[in-house]
Amino acid sequence: MAVTPVALPPGVLSVHALPADHHDGPWDHIVTPPGVKERLLNHALLTLLHGPALATMAGLPHGLIILSGPPGTGKTSLARGLAQTAARAVAKRGATTYVEIDPHAFPSELLGESQRNITRLMTDTIPELAARRPHTVVLVDEVESFAVSRSAASFGANPVDVHRATDALLAGIDAVATDLPRVLFLATTNFADAVDEAFVSRADLVLTLPLPDKATIARIIRHSLLELAVLWSGTAALAHDDGLHAKLADACAGMDGRRVRKLVLSALALRQEVTRDPNALTADDLVAAVDYLTPGAEND
Ligand SMILES: Nc1ncnc2c1ncn2[C@@H]1O[C@H](COP(=O)(O)OP(=O)(O)OP(=O)(O)O)[C@@H](O)[C@H]1O
Ligand SMILES: [Mg+2]
């Protein structure tokens, strides 16, 4: 539940108290290679549990995790799921405030405005939110529009402003790491080269989520079919047909996870008999539907 549905501070999309049951889901829905989720969770726990102790060491942690990778590989979902899972893991010590930042709220036409807004976010808003509960997780989605690389060639209209805004963000991250060592930032980007190098260098963990391999695609398909079988039990056999999943995964090679998730939808829309009663879905429908997942394929 949103804590304050109206009058959120500028640049803040939402504020939630975690753990909350309705935030379960994304962590389990995103299929990753073995070990990825554990590594993410361990890094989050280091900040939430031991941030103050670790902050006394040279080369202090910045409490920053970056998830990078192509569009549709589950970065945002995994970041949201991580917030909930980490909040559950530390719940005995108290609740977690989960904040989503709107990176598109900051670029501004006015010279100096972005810098002022980012400074306000980092020096006023986040400390105020962090004071509410023992733990705080801040999601900065699509951070490339926020921490623009100062060495990249094109800045658009206002290069000086971009520099100052990025500088303000870096100074803010450093200040929060020192003063509020239990605040964890999660940043996502599908354009790692556009993210400022000094920002990336501050990350305690940079995790790249690549396009899913065939084994992962097969697991995503299986997961989608299992969900479908809960809704229409007549499709249950499809969810347990490993051979079918492997065949579909071969045909879907190179697609991102979001695209692969559309396979079931595409198959349900292929024949109106199936659209009206999904229990009638067949393996052949699924195989035929793969062609419709690639843009323009229906024109071939
Ligand atoms: N590895 C995966 N396993 C299962 N589902 C996935 C996976 N990757 C993506 N998906 C599906 O795609 C949807 C979109 O994922 P999400 O928005 O988290 O991707 P993203 O990487 O943040 O994309 P973008 O870069 O476009 O913002 C998810 O809700 C999920 O259903
Ligand atoms: Mg995303």
Side-chain angles (χ1 to χ4, degrees), residues 98-230:
Y98 173 58
V99 185
E100 289 200 7
I101 301 299
D102 177 8
H104 305 293
F106 291 94
S108 166
E109 298 292 300
L110 287 172
L111 189 70
E113 184 74 3
S114 313
Q115 179 195 8
R116 274 193 294 279
N117 287 343
I118 290 174
T119 300
R120 193 178 314 129
L121 177 79
M122 300 301 284
T123 58
D124 297 341
T125 308
I126 288 179
E128 275 163 27
L129 291 168
R132 291 183 180 180
R133 299 187 181 85
H135 316 103
T136 308
V137 177
V138 181
L139 173 62
V140 189
D141 213 7
E142 299 175 22
V143 72
E144 67 275 2
S145 60
F146 197 83
V148 181
S149 172
R150 293 161 298 175
S151 67
S154 90
F155 289 139
N158 220 332
V160 176
D161 214 24
V162 166
H163 264 254
R164 287 187 181 150
T166 304
D167 286 343
L169 180 66
L170 297 176
I173 292 267
D174 289 346
V176 172
T178 307
D179 301 339
L180 302 163
R182 245 189 257 276
V183 173
L184 173 67
F185 287 96
L186 305 176
T188 78
T189 179
N190 53 38
F191 201 29
D193 290 347
V195 180
D196 188 76
E197 295 84 344
F199 182 78
V200 176
S201 141
R202 278 164 171 73
D204 303 327
L205 171 67
V206 182
L207 191 86
T208 304
L209 291 178
L211 287 174
D213 59 15
K214 283 185 193 166
T216 305
I217 294 177
R219 287 170 63 204
I220 296 172
I221 290 169
R222 180 185 156 83
H223 189 275
S224 303
L225 289 170
L226 283 170
E227 285 184 321
L228 190 72
V230 172

Side-chain angles (χ1 to χ4, degrees), residues 29-31 70-77 142 190 220 257-258 261:
H29 293 173
I30 300 300
V31 179
T73 49
K75 302 177 296 294
T76 304
S77 310
E142 299 175 22
N190 53 38
I220 296 172
R258 185 190 279 131
R261 285 273 184 203

